[in-house]
């Protein structure tokens, strides 16, 4: 079998307005780096997460092999919810703050009618309070890939800044769950999470 | 549009000049797999190779199979693999994905269907380009235009992007390309096992990506 069709391009569902708010490159501090990414949680057992850092060190992708929630015949009851916490260690140059502006999630969701899937992500810059959280919800019937963006979609953005020279530790905890009518089959995954250093935007401390 | 065409010509010229030198050719175009993860691929289940003409690369998977039918749950019925790829092109040029092929093997019982999807995006960009194909959509109880009955066959998809629609890598930022492939299969749970895999006779699944170049402004 061979199939040939035009390659479809979808500029999908995501606002890029926040990108325009980023300071010009000349305002970027030097010495910014992601030092390490570690993870824990029942949605990301050891060896199930891969991190790809961009050549300029300002963007990265986290891909997950096992971050899902599911209900259905033969599926363990404990699979109805899973979570994964990412722990990023950043180099934060003295005299600079950063903001978490946007984070993109891509994955797959398939739900019978009567089922609801939810993705919730909580962000915490260490030493800052409170944390901030975003969520996506899907109601069955649905069967499709998805792309959603956290932060940066409302005004004013970005809104979540580190203190000057602080915020070395950034935590991102993503939880998935599927709930609803007994007997239905449902699956939601996060395949990848990525951004420009999570769209971190830097500014000089005032 | 004119610039894109010129870029292709310029790139051809560069390749021609470098034709006798392996070292120079490697400088023109390199592909590095930075990371890989997905329910369909573990870290040792793939390989990346660059085509001789330096404008394509191939990813081979050894254990990328979706299954459905007796004994399988919905977790078996959808598999994916995300590749984070670093592509280096000549200075002053950017690149995009001009075409993509996927190949595999499938065994489908009479009431099983299968599909494949490929999507890609540059790190940090909200734009996702994708192609989706039904490997089979018809079944014995709901026959369509595609083959019905038990199917045992290789499958292949081939997609080309019009140059004007190619998503180009940023010229101002250095970003990796993410490629997410997906296999799905459906079958009544009481039927015998069906499977779809990107698997040749030696057990590897191959996805081929052709790359186009364009000069930066």
């Amino acid at each position: 079998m061979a199939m040939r069709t035009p390659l479809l391009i979808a500029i999908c569902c995501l606002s890029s307005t926040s990108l325009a708010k980023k300071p010009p490159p000349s305002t970027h501090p030097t010495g910014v780096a992601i030092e390490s990414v570690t993870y824990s949680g029942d949605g990301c057992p050891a060896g199930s997460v891969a991190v790809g850092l961009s050549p300029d060190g300002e963007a990265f992708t986290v891909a997950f092999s096992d971050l899902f929630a599911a209900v259905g015949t033969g599926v363990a009851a404990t699979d109805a919810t899973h979570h994964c916490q990412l722990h990023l260690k950043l180099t934060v140059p003295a005299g600079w703050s950063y903001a978490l502006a946007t984070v993109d999630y891509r994955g797959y969701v398939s739900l019978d009618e009567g089922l609801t899937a939810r993705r919730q992500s909580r962000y915490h810059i260490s030493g800052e309070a409170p944390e901030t959280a975003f969520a996506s919800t899907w109601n069955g019937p649905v069967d499709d890939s998805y792309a959603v963006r956290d932060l940066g979609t409302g005004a004013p953005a970005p809104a979540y800044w580190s203190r000057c020279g602080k915020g070395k530790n950034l935590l991102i905890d993503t939880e998935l769950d599927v709930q609803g009518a007994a007997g239905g089959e449902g699956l939601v995954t996060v395949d990848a999470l990525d951004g420009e250093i999570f769209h971190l935007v830097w500014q000089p401390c005032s | 549009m004119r610039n894109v065409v010129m870029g292709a010509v310029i790139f051809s010229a560069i390749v021609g000049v470098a034709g006798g030198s392996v070292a120079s050719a490697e400088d023109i175009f390199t592909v590095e797999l930075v990371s890989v993860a997905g329910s369909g691929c573990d870290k040792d289940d793939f390989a990346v190779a660059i085509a001789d003409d330096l404008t394509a690369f191939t990813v081979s998977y050894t254990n990328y199979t979706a299954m459905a039918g007796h004994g399988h749950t919905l977790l078996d019925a959808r598999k994916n693999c995300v590749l984070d790829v670093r592509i280096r092109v000549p200075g002053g040029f950017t690149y995009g994905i001009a075409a993509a092929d996927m190949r595999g093997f499938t065994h489908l019982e009479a009431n099983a269907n299968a599909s494949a999807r490929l999507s890609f995006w540059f790190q940090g960009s909200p734009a996702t380009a994708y192609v989706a194909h039904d490997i089979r959509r018809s079944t014995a109880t709901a026959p369509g235009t595609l083959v019905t009955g038990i199917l045992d066959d290789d499958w292949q998809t081939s997609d080309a992007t019009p140059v004007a629609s190619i998503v180009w890598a940023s010229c101002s930022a250095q970003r990796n390309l993410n490629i997410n492939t997906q296999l799905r299969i459906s079958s009544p749970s009481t039927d015998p096992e069906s499977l779809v895999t990107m698997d040749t006779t030696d057990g590897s699944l191959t996805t081929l990506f052709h790359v186009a170049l364009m000069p930066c402004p």
Side-chain angles (χ1 to χ4, degrees), chain B residues 11 27-30 87-95 211-214:
Chain B
F11 181 63
D27 289 341
I28 288 174
F29 182 84
T30 63
I87 298 176
R88 290 188 175 88
V89 297
F93 285 86
T94 183
Y95 69 95
V211 178
L213 292 174
M214 183 176 79

Side-chain angles (χ1 to χ4, degrees), chain B residues 22-187:
Chain B
V22 173
S24 298
E26 288 175 347
D27 289 341
I28 288 174
F29 182 84
T30 63
V31 177
E32 175 190 355
L33 187 63
V34 177
S35 68
V36 59
S39 54
C41 57
D42 287 328
K43 59 184 175 66
D44 297 326
D45 286 349
F46 63 89
V48 177
I50 303 176
D52 290 342
D53 67 359
L54 303 177
T55 59
F57 60 98
T58 302
V59 183
S60 303
Y61 311 90
T62 58
N63 191 20
Y64 189 167
T65 307
M67 293 174 283
H70 184 70
H72 292 290
T73 73
L74 80 169
L75 299 180
D76 301 323
R78 188 262 180 183
K79 297 293 180 181
N80 84 294
C81 183
V82 177
L83 305 165
D84 189 67
V85 178
R86 186 171 300 170
I87 298 176
R88 290 188 175 88
V89 297
F93 285 86
T94 183
Y95 69 95
I97 301 298
D101 298 340
M102 293 183 282
R103 300 184 196 88
F105 175 79
T106 192
H107 164 80
L108 296 176
E109 294 290 324
N111 284 303
N113 285 330
S115 63
R117 179 185 172 102
L118 182 152
S119 60
F120 55 86
W121 67 94
F122 294 101
Q123 284 180 319
S125 168
T128 307
Y130 73 95
V131 292
H133 289 282
D134 287 317
I135 295 167
R136 184 169 80 172
R137 189 171 58 239
S138 59
T139 67
T141 54
T145 57
L146 301 177
V147 64
T148 58
I150 292 176
L151 174 65
D152 279 290
D153 201 359
D154 294 327
W155 63 271
Q156 176 175 348
T157 67
S158 184
D159 298 284
T161 306
V163 170
S165 299
I166 289 175
V167 177
W168 300 97
S170 167
C171 285
S172 60
Q174 297 172 303
R175 295 290 181 261
N176 296 339
L177 175 69
N178 289 305
I179 301 163
N180 191 6
T181 54
Q182 170 185 284
L183 290 174
R184 289 169 52 201
I185 191 168
S186 64
S187 168

Side-chain angles (χ1 to χ4, degrees), chain A residues 1 3-5 7-10 14 50 52-56 60-61 65 75 106 108 143 145 191 194 196 199, chain B residues 36 38 74 78 86 117 121 123-126 128 130-131 134 156 158-161 165 175-176 178 180 184:
Chain A
M1 263 182 297
M3 288 157 275
R4 180 175 291 274
T5 65
L7 187 61
L8 301 176
I9 304 297
L14 296 173
L53 198 59
S54 71
D56 60 13
F60 69 91
T61 300
S65 296
V75 178
R106 289 173 170 89
Y108 171 75
D143 183 8
S145 298
D191 295 345
D194 82 281
E196 291 184 297
H199 292 281
Chain B
V36 59
L74 80 169
R78 188 262 180 183
R86 186 171 300 170
R117 179 185 172 102
W121 67 94
Q123 284 180 319
S125 168
T128 307
Y130 73 95
V131 292
D134 287 317
Q156 176 175 348
S158 184
D159 298 284
T161 306
S165 299
R175 295 290 181 261
N176 296 339
N178 289 305
N180 191 6
R184 289 169 52 201

Side-chain angles (χ1 to χ4, degrees), chain A residues 69-71 79-81 111 115-118 176-180 186-188:
Chain A
V71 298
D79 283 340
T81 181
L111 301 169
L115 293 179
T116 297
R118 188 162 185 264
L176 296 173
D177 66 68
V178 178
Q179 299 178 345
L187 169 67
V188 61

Side-chain angles (χ1 to χ4, degrees), chain A:
Chain A
M1 263 182 297
M3 288 157 275
R4 180 175 291 274
T5 65
L7 187 61
L8 301 176
I9 304 297
I11 309 300
C12 180
C13 353
L14 296 173
S15 165
S16 61
T17 53
S18 62
L19 298 175
K21 295 184 173 70
K22 205 166 75 169
S26 60
T27 67
H28 280 205
T30 57
V32 178
I34 298 165
E35 297 174 7
S36 67
V37 180
T38 57
Y39 54 92
S40 63
D42 61 7
C44 50
S48 70
V49 172
V51 179
L53 198 59
S54 71
D56 60 13
E58 293 188 349
F60 69 91
T61 300
V62 181
F64 302 92
S65 296
D66 214 19
L67 184 50
F68 72 94
V71 298
T73 305
V75 178
T78 51
D79 283 340
T81 181
H82 285 298
H83 84 103
C84 179
Q85 177 167 284
L86 300 174
H87 177 189
L88 290 83
K89 275 196 173 172
L90 305 176
T91 299
V92 184
W96 289 83
S97 296
Y98 69 88
L100 198 51
T102 62
V103 183
D104 293 329
Y105 293 80
R106 289 173 170 89
Y108 171 75
V109 59
S110 174
L111 301 169
D112 285 347
E113 186 161 8
L115 293 179
T116 297
R118 188 162 185 264
R119 190 263 331 167
Q120 176 174 277
S121 298
R122 294 182 295 116
Y123 302 91
H124 187 204
I125 299 172
S126 63
E128 307 298 312
E131 66 179 25
T132 186
F134 289 79
S136 310
T137 301
W138 298 270
N139 296 309
V142 62
D143 183 8
D144 206 357
S145 298
Y146 72 84
V148 294
R149 168 166 281 188
D150 279 2
L151 298 147
T153 53
Y160 193 45
W161 290 91
S162 77
R163 287 184 295 169
C164 187
K166 303 292 186 182
K168 181 173 184 61
N169 297 289
L170 172 61
L171 302 176
I172 300 177
D173 189 280
T174 297
E175 180 175 296
L176 296 173
D177 66 68
V178 178
Q179 299 178 345
E185 302 240 321
L187 169 67
V188 61
T189 76
V190 173
D191 295 345
L193 169 164
D194 82 281
E196 291 184 297
I197 303 196
F198 288 53
H199 292 281
L200 293 178
V201 175
W202 301 81
Q203 72 174 16
C205 300
S206 55

